[in-house]
Amino acid sequence: MPEQLRIGFVPEHFSTPLHFASTHHALPASLLPFPSGTGHMVQALQAGEIDIGVGLTEGWVAALGKAQSAQQDAGFKVVGTYVETPLCWAISTGAEREINGVEGLRGKKMGVSRVGSGSYVMGFVLADQQGWLGSGNRGEAPFEVVPLNTFAQLRAGVNDGAADFFMWEHFTSKRYYDNGEIRRIGEIYTPWSSWKIVAADKLLSPSSPSKVTSELAAVLESINKGVRHFESNQEEAVEYIYTNLDYSEEDAREWLKTVRFAQDVRGVDKSVLEKTVEVLGKAGVLEKEVTAGDMAGMLRSEAVKWI
C-alpha cells in the first residue's frame, strides 16, 4: 500500500477549507502545519518531508525563479490556485517603538520568518513601491533582514529590539494590535492572487492529459469539496476559526467578507505567474530573467480535461 501523501499548510484562517476537506470529505493526505510559513515549506518539499504545499504565491515563485536562475530543479511546481483574492500584509512594530509610518523604515531591521518566505519577499516589494530600490542596488534591500522563524518570535523581536518591523497577514496580526502587544504602522497588498498549491515533481505526470498523477488529482478534488463546504457552512467556519485558531469571532466574520477561494483549485493561470515574476524581478527578488510558464505543473486550461 503506498504511503499517504503529506500536505504542508500554514495553520491560519485560510486553512479552514483544508480542515473541512480532511474532516468531511476524506482528504487522502495528512495535514502537517508549518506556522513559520511558505519558506519553511519550500525547504520541506526539497528535503522530501512533504509532498504538497499550500502557501503564498510570492514565496513559491521566488523559490522557483531562484532555482531557474541557478539552473537547478526546485523539486516542485505550481499545480493549483487556492485563494483568488490578494493578501493584505500588515506592517507592524513594537508597542513602545518610536516608528510611526512606512517612510521611517528605510535603514531599519526587517524581521522575517525565513529568507525566501512571503514576509521576506514582500519587504522587497514594499521597498520598490517606496522607491528605495535604485538601479545601483538591485536585489539589495535598504534594511537589514533578520530571520526570526515564527510569528511569535517576530512579535517578540520588534519589542526587544531584535527587529524594528515585520510584515504578516492583517487578521492574524489584528489580535495583537487589539491587546497592545504590537502596533500597526501600515499595510501593503500583494498585486497577485495570494495562495497557490504546489506539488513535488514525483506527483507530476507528463503522460497524463491532466499532467498530474491520480493521487494528486484525488487530493485536489477533495480540497475542492472542502472549499464548497466552507462556502455553504459559514457559521461552522467561523466557529472553527475562533475556537481552534488565534482569532476572535468578530475578526473571523470580518475576514470572511474579504476572502474568495477558487471555485476549482486545479491549475494555475500563467498570467498570474508572469505578473508575480515581473513584480519580483522589478523589486530585485529575482535577479535574472526566468520563464514563468516553466513554474507550472498544471495550467487551468489543462484542468478542464479532467473527467
Side-chain angles (χ1 to χ4, degrees):
M1 183 175 179
E3 292 186 2
Q4 188 177 46
L5 295 179
R6 300 155 297 175
I7 301 176
F9 75 103
V10 183
E12 296 175 354
H13 45 342
F14 287 96
S15 67
T16 305
L18 296 175
H19 169 73
F20 288 161
S22 179
T23 56
H24 297 302
H25 297 287
L27 178 69
S30 57
L31 292 171
L32 302 180
F34 283 77
S36 49
T38 308
H40 192 185
M41 281 189 279
V42 169
Q43 297 174 358
L45 277 160
Q46 293 173 337
E49 296 167 356
I50 58 174
D51 309 296
I52 299 165
V54 182
L56 297 175
T57 304
E58 55 269 26
W60 300 135
V61 171
L64 287 161
K66 288 180 182 296
Q68 270 192 40
S69 296
Q71 296 184 317
Q72 297 174 348
D73 181 3
F76 65 90
K77 291 187 185 298
V78 185
V79 296
T81 301
Y82 186 57
V83 177
E84 300 281 13
T85 41
L87 192 71
C88 178
W89 288 86
I91 307 169
S92 305
T93 191
E96 305 299 328
R97 303 295 296 277
E98 294 183 2
I99 300 173
N100 295 313
V102 171
E103 64 279 355
L105 299 181
R106 190 170 190 175
K108 302 294 186 181
K109 293 180 289 187
M110 179 177 74
V112 304
S113 56
R114 275 175 167 73
V115 171
S117 67
S119 59
Y120 169 86
V121 169
M122 289 304 296
F124 287 86
V125 177
L126 175 70
D128 181 61
Q129 288 189 3
Q130 295 296 314
W132 297 338
L133 292 178
S135 58
N137 65 340
R138 178 178 173 84
E140 181 180 346
F143 27 66
E144 179 184 349
V145 174
V146 183
L148 292 171
N149 298 310
T150 67
F151 182 41
Q153 290 172 312
L154 286 164
R155 300 195 310 272
V158 294
N159 282 303
D160 65 21
D164 296 310
F165 75 100
F166 71 91
M167 304 164 69
W168 210 259
E169 192 272 335
H170 164 71
F171 283 102
T172 311
S173 306
K174 185 176 179 298
R175 165 168 288 197
Y176 301 95
Y177 300 142
D178 293 344
N179 70 13
E181 182 177 333
I182 56 176
R183 188 164 51 84
R184 180 187 176 98
I185 55 175
E187 67 181 25
I188 181 173
Y189 282 84
T190 58
W192 44 70
S193 55
S194 53
W195 295 76
K196 300 289 178 289
I197 302 170
V198 302
D201 289 344
K202 68 180 183 180
L203 296 177
L204 307 178
S205 176
S207 61
S208 168
S210 60
K211 309 296 185 184
V212 301
T213 64
S214 59
E215 292 84 0
L216 177 54
V219 167
L220 296 176
E221 182 52 37
S222 181
I223 295 175
N224 273 340
K225 292 177 180 177
V227 170
R228 288 193 285 271
H229 187 97
F230 170 87
E231 292 178 341
S232 301
N233 298 273
Q234 297 276 277
E235 287 303 312
E236 182 184 358
V238 168
E239 182 177 1
Y240 171 73
I241 292 167
Y242 78 75
T243 302
N244 296 277
L245 304 172
D246 196 15
Y247 305 87
S248 67
E249 180 178 354
E250 178 186 2
D251 287 349
R253 293 188 187 281
E254 285 301 309
W255 170 70
L256 288 177
K257 299 175 185 177
T258 70
V259 67
R260 178 166 52 88
F261 286 87
Q263 292 299 302
D264 186 346
V265 302
R266 302 173 302 174
V268 61
D269 290 321
K270 184 179 178 183
S271 60
V272 172
L273 298 178
E274 290 172 338
K275 174 66 173 178
T276 310
V277 165
E278 176 190 353
V279 174
L280 296 190
K282 183 182 177 186
V285 176
L286 298 177
E287 299 181 4
K288 296 181 180 179
E289 294 295 326
V290 298
T291 305
D294 290 346
M295 299 178 178
M298 178 173 60
L299 296 171
R300 276 182 160 167
S301 58
E302 295 166 330
V304 299
K305 298 175 182 177
W306 290 24
I307 299 174

